[in-house]
Amino acid sequence: MQPISSVKGKAYPLGLKNVDTDIIIPAAWLKTISRSGLGKGAFQTLRGVAGNVFDDPAYAGAPILIAGDNFGCGSSREHAAWAMADLGISAVIAPSFSDIFSGNAFKNGLLAIVLPQEAIDRLMDVAKTDEIHIDLETQTVTTPFQDRFAFEIDPFRKHCLINGVDEIGLTLKSSDAISAYENKISASQSWLSPNQA
Amino acid sequence: MSAPQTLYEKIWNAHVVEQRDDGTCLIFIDRHLVHEVTSPQAFEGLRVAGRQVRRPDLTLAVPDHNLPTTARLDANGNNIPIADPESAQQLEALERNAPEFGISYIDATDVKQGIVHVVGPEQGFSLPGTTIVCGDSHTACHGGLGALAFGIGTSEVEHVLATQTLQLSRSKSMEVRVEGELGPGVSAKDVVLHITGVLGASGGTGHVIEYTGAVIRALSIEGRLTISNMAIEHGARAGLVAPDDVTYAYLKGRPMAPKGGDWDAAVAYWRSLATDIDAVYDKVVTISAADIAPSVTWGTSPEDVLPITGVVPDPSTFADPSKQAAAQKSLDYMGLTPGMPMTDISVENIFIGSCTNSRIEDLRAAAAVLKGRKKADNVKWAIVVPGSGLVKQQAEAEGLDRIFIDAGLEWREPGCSACLGMNPDKVPAGERCASTSNRNFVGRQGPGARTHLVSPAMAAAAAITGRLTDVRAFMD
Ligand code: SF4
């Protein structure tokens, strides 16, 4: 994972609620065996509608997306995070995210930032004309108009994002603890080993 | 004495390998199900980093999402090639990756093949009290057996393959208590649609839900799997039903379940998992069975639920302005007008299948309604897709396939089918489908497809009349 500590730039003012992962990337795009190239299918159904924010030149290449409640609900497809990254999005700001999506976003260095609806409403306004600045270090979202919104983030996730930590590598350092757990279980709950059918 | 605990807390605590200062835990994963769509990039990641699968014995791979549900073997018993080159490539990747990493693989032509969430319980691979993951959001399904089961993304699939653990933080706990007794024609699917309507699509976010109460206790395992399957549709991380004698009777003798003395030890352990009497959930929601009718969705979120006796809602009556806009958008997409009785909506497509409703009991419920009847002429496409080869075999032994075929429905090979617009089974743009699957999202069953989620019996009733129908009209 690439280290990431701040995102600054234009933001797509989408604002929509319950943006499910079928909207972010339709199932027809999931036949790929690679992580790249999915930006072409990103938000396909929304982009089919004239006047959509993604095809509005005012927001071309914006690294931020502003959305409504329950962003990323639905399927667990990590393709949603890959597609957004491929489109050039580095951060999403919404009042809430589905648990699986925020996990997937984090694993791909995509910031999923939770702010209350009032802040979202304000940022939607600002995004129409100006840039937005997200600073992970200080956990704030700011605008050129002195708006300043603080957000929460799990300290472990923050650490991993800022340092670009390889999470599997990190867990593998706990191999001894995992082995000890496995030994304990195979002694006390031997029935947990599946019979090979 | 330790503090009283919920079922969720007991399973969680039994799986903590390490706890960090900030409360995040390294959680051991007992069972990992793998399918073709969310795994190729994970295996590729392992290869690039030169990593092995830590516990291939705890991992089971089966193709389902992308597999066509038409015949897989020709008259000479040879494999029929898959027409779509991308689908074929993805299926081949799993077929290659599984043996390369030492993982058991159920082939597309094996009678055990099926939808991963049907196969796990059926094989006895999924067990109470275990942690189960799969790169698929409906993994919550296995919670019907009392397992802590949840969907993960591909990076997490790779993480589990490499370490057999996940870094997780504890969820909050919620009890959804369904009291009373279900009326005639009301099934587990109606219960879970109703719950989703009450909680909303994000009502369970951050929570693991335990479904309790007389209604849940009285359900078969098939019904409990249906309920837990859709926990994700009300936003929950996972759903749980406490294991009991119904669970043990279902699992005993399944191929991968414990045997002999191991079985007795396992049952003794499972019995200790029930939520303690004084344990406190973070949130409790109580639902009365008397309020649950055969249900149907009208919009493009699973929370858009109505009793079949209802009428299409008028967005302008919604209190929240953002909900008004969303509802109007849904109605535009669905091609519906406010005030229209749900039973006036005609359907051209019927889909009976998916990990929510493709087990034997679901097929029996649909067949009971269809027996001796025919589908309506305006129904152009009606398919029944069993959840696994074993379900198919059982249904054929009971003669259910004949009932479906005689009624004018197609009897298919197992797979995810029209649950998602990925394999050849799709609902044409602008057309409607009464579907027993779990998602009515925009484009879920194919671009432009309009989905109404219903139970298997309700789908069968809709097939007969060619419109959304109250199944109670077909019951004596
Ligand atoms: S049947 Fe549908 S919900 Fe179930 S695993 Fe397949 S695609 Fe997912």
Side-chain angles (χ1 to χ4, degrees), chain B residues 420-458:
Chain B
L420 87 171
M422 180 161 195
N423 56 72
D425 300 342
K426 291 187 186 67
V427 174
E431 289 190 14
R432 251 171 241 295
C433 183
S435 175
T436 66
S437 55
N438 42 42
R439 284 194 175 132
N440 52 351
F441 295 163
V442 168
R444 170 77 181 183
Q445 293 194 288
R450 296 164 166 168
T451 304
H452 295 278
L453 301 177
V454 290
S455 73
M458 288 279 283

Side-chain angles (χ1 to χ4, degrees), chain B residues 70-422:
Chain B
T70 42
R72 290 178 187 150
L73 296 175
D74 65 17
N76 302 320
N78 297 319
N79 279 311
I80 297 175
I82 290 168
D84 180 78
E86 274 189 303
S87 298
Q89 183 194 36
Q90 196 174 57
L91 288 157
E92 279 159 19
L94 183 60
E95 206 172 322
R96 245 191 350 264
N97 285 327
E100 181 183 331
F101 288 93
I103 295 168
S104 295
Y105 172 73
I106 301 178
D107 182 82
T109 56
D110 190 318
V111 70
K112 299 196 294 286
Q113 182 272 334
I115 305 169
V116 28
H117 309 311
V118 174
V119 171
E122 189 172 77
Q123 289 300 315
F125 183 70
S126 312
L127 296 176
T130 57
T131 47
I132 305 181
V133 297
C134 173
D136 183 282
S137 58
H138 292 97
T139 308
C141 189
H142 310 258
L145 293 170
L148 178 60
F150 46 89
I152 56 177
T154 299
S155 295
E156 288 173 310
V157 170
E158 186 179 337
H159 193 280
V160 174
L161 289 171
T163 72
Q164 205 56 37
T165 63
L166 281 175
Q167 302 272 3
L168 297 170
S169 22
R170 221 177 265 264
S171 301
K172 291 192 198 120
S173 62
M174 186 190 300
E175 179 186 27
V176 173
R177 175 170 282 276
V178 191
E179 287 297 9
E181 204 183 322
L182 297 179
V186 181
S187 71
K189 180 63 165 289
D190 302 300
V191 174
V192 75
L193 286 173
H194 182 86
I195 293 172
T196 307
V198 170
L199 293 182
S202 59
T205 303
H207 291 78
V208 167
I209 296 181
E210 183 176 346
Y211 303 95
T212 67
V215 166
I216 307 294
R217 285 289 123 230
L219 288 175
S220 65
I221 292 303
E222 282 86 349
R224 295 177 189 182
L225 292 168
T226 297
I227 303 241
S228 203
N229 181 276
M230 289 188 66
I232 185 77
E233 302 314 328
H234 30 269
R237 190 76 172 108
L240 283 169
V241 177
D244 59 13
D245 288 338
V246 179
T247 320
Y248 313 141
Y250 172 91
L251 284 170
K252 195 163 188 195
R254 302 249 164 209
M256 298 175 93
K259 305 255 178 322
D262 273 353
W263 171 259
D264 299 332
V267 172
Y269 174 71
W270 295 336
R271 287 196 194 283
S272 73
L273 293 175
T275 293
D276 294 327
I277 215 99
D278 302 325
V280 182
Y281 297 91
D282 293 304
K283 193 171 172 187
V284 177
V285 174
T286 306
I287 286 171
S288 165
D291 296 337
I292 311 176
S295 300
V296 57
T297 59
W298 55 267
T300 56
S301 165
E303 71 183 23
D304 300 337
V305 175
L306 278 176
I308 183 66
T309 50
V311 299
V312 175
D314 181 353
S316 68
T317 61
F318 289 19
D320 175 350
S322 75
K323 280 224 163 114
Q324 288 181 8
Q328 190 53 53
K329 251 187 133 153
S330 283
L331 290 187
D332 293 345
Y333 179 81
M334 293 297 291
L336 297 173
T337 36
M340 185 176 183
M342 292 306 288
T343 48
D344 281 359
I345 299 172
S346 62
V347 291
E348 302 87 21
N349 303 276
I350 304 287
F351 171 55
I352 299 175
S354 90
C355 57
T356 316
N357 283 128
S358 63
R359 284 167 281 267
I360 189 69
E361 194 177 88
D362 302 311
L363 302 189
R364 285 181 191 141
V369 176
L370 284 163
K371 189 165 188 180
R373 298 192 168 102
K374 295 254 181 265
K375 77 166 178 63
D377 289 340
N378 67 312
V379 172
K380 294 192 286 189
W381 191 62
I383 59 169
V384 186
V385 187
S388 71
L390 288 166
V391 170
K392 182 168 187 258
Q393 210 172 50
Q394 173 74 27
E396 288 173 356
E398 295 178 18
L400 305 184
D401 57 325
R402 283 307 336 159
I403 296 177
F404 294 128
I405 293 165
D406 290 346
L409 282 70
E410 290 176 45
W411 179 240
R412 294 294 191 94
E413 296 298 320
C416 292
S417 185
C419 175
L420 87 171
M422 180 161 195

